[in-house]
Amino acid sequence: MAKKKRVVKKAAKKKVVKKAAPKKKVAKKKVAKKKVAKKKVAKKKVAKKKVAKKKVAKKKVAKKVAVKKPRVKRAPNPAFMKPMMPSAALAVVVGGNPAPRTEITKKLWDYIKRNRLQDAVNRRMINADANLMAVFGGRSQVSMFEMTKLVSQHLR
């Protein structure tokens, strides 16, 4: 019987040893993974530094180009400054004297704001009174973009 007990004890010891061995391998794998992760982080840091250096170089070049350009003052378009004669319907609103398109547009907007003809809800719409209805072709409400088109028909 003594022999049987010894065999059982030896078998039990072998099983214990087998269970402990895989734990050591797992620990080695974790250490290896950590080393690989550290290398990747180091590579990313180096790459970021290179990208940062490139961006700085591009900004310096752009600033130099912007400084070299001289500013030229824009000249007004002579077509806008040409005096135009308003029609009789438009003359009631802006006056009968010839004026450039820009001045006529300013006077028209002054008239609209003075008489509160801009729609309160939709500010792009102009509500026509009796004088503007003749200019707008009988329409009671016109958008500000259509207004310039309709006014240009009354200029000669």
Side-chain angles (χ1 to χ4, degrees):
M1 278 195 168
K3 288 184 179 179
K4 288 182 182 178
K5 286 182 183 177
R6 286 184 191 165
V7 173
V8 173
K9 286 181 182 177
K10 286 182 182 178
K13 285 182 183 178
K14 286 182 182 178
K15 288 180 184 176
V16 172
V17 172
K18 287 182 183 177
K19 288 180 183 176
K23 288 183 182 177
K24 290 179 183 177
K25 289 180 182 177
V26 171
K28 288 180 182 179
K29 287 181 182 178
K30 286 182 182 177
V31 171
K33 285 182 182 179
K34 286 182 182 178
K35 287 180 182 178
V36 172
K38 286 181 182 178
K39 288 180 182 178
K40 286 181 181 178
V41 170
K43 286 180 182 179
K44 286 181 182 178
K45 286 181 181 178
V46 171
K48 285 182 181 178
K49 287 180 183 177
K50 288 180 182 178
V51 171
K53 288 179 183 178
K54 288 179 182 178
K55 287 182 181 178
V56 171
K58 287 180 181 178
K59 287 181 182 176
K60 288 180 181 178
V61 172
K63 287 181 181 178
K64 289 179 183 177
V65 173
V67 173
K68 290 181 181 178
K69 286 186 177 180
R71 286 194 154 197
V72 179
K73 192 174 183 180
R74 281 182 60 189
N77 189 342
F80 283 115
M81 304 313 289
K82 180 182 172 186
M84 305 287 287
M85 187 67 182
S87 68
L90 186 59
V92 173
V93 178
V94 296
N97 297 331
R101 286 177 183 266
T102 54
E103 291 298 320
I104 290 174
T105 305
K106 284 180 185 178
K107 289 178 183 178
L108 185 63
W109 272 107
D110 289 339
Y111 179 84
I112 290 168
K113 289 182 180 181
R114 188 177 339 114
N115 295 318
R116 297 181 186 175
L117 298 175
Q118 199 169 4
D119 192 48
V121 177
N122 188 356
R123 305 286 290 171
R124 288 182 283 179
M125 300 304 285
I126 309 299
N127 298 322
D129 63 352
N131 294 334
L132 281 180
M133 204 170 284
V135 176
F136 294 161
R139 294 173 62 184
S140 62
Q141 195 175 42
V142 175
S143 76
M144 64 175 63
F145 305 110
E146 292 174 318
M147 180 184 70
T148 55
K149 177 182 172 183
L150 295 169
V151 169
S152 67
Q153 294 172 355
H154 289 275
L155 297 173
R156 292 181 238 127

